[in-house]
Structures are given as C-alpha cells and as structure tokens.
Amino acid sequence: MIWPVARIVCFALIGAELWALLAGERQLLHLFAVLALGVLAVAWVLTDGHSGEGQR
C-alpha cells in the first residue's frame, strides 16, 4: 500500500527537481533529490519490515 503513495510523491519531487533545475535553483534541486531518496528509503523499510541489519 505504501508503494503507490511513494510513487506519486517521488514523481512530484522529480517534477520539482526539474523545475528547480530549469529555474537555476541548485539548493532546491539538491533538497528535492534528497527528499525523493528519503521517501524511497522509508517506503522500502516500511514494506520490508527492517533495514537489513541483524538478518539471520
């Protein structure tokens, strides 16, 4: 259930990155890129149940 929401949010952030690139706003470009990666990381951890440490 989290992946459709994460996909929409990431597409919106990618659109914001494109806008920031075209507007010459490098700080916003980096902010939106980090936010998109953060959304993907949170979605992965929530669906997988763990971050990979301590697996047996």
Side-chain angles (χ1 to χ4, degrees):
M1 179 61 189
I2 190 75
W3 282 112
V5 175
R7 184 179 300 148
I8 291 169
V9 171
C10 283
F11 280 136
L13 286 169
I14 290 169
E17 286 180 53
L18 179 61
W19 168 81
L21 180 67
L22 294 175
E25 298 287 341
R26 292 189 59 88
Q27 289 179 335
L28 286 177
L29 175 67
H30 295 147
L31 173 68
F32 293 139
V34 168
L35 287 175
L37 289 175
V39 167
L40 289 174
V42 168
W44 179 74
V45 169
L46 288 178
T47 56
D48 197 31
H50 48 76
S51 63
E53 294 181 10
Q55 283 184 333
R56 292 182 186 201

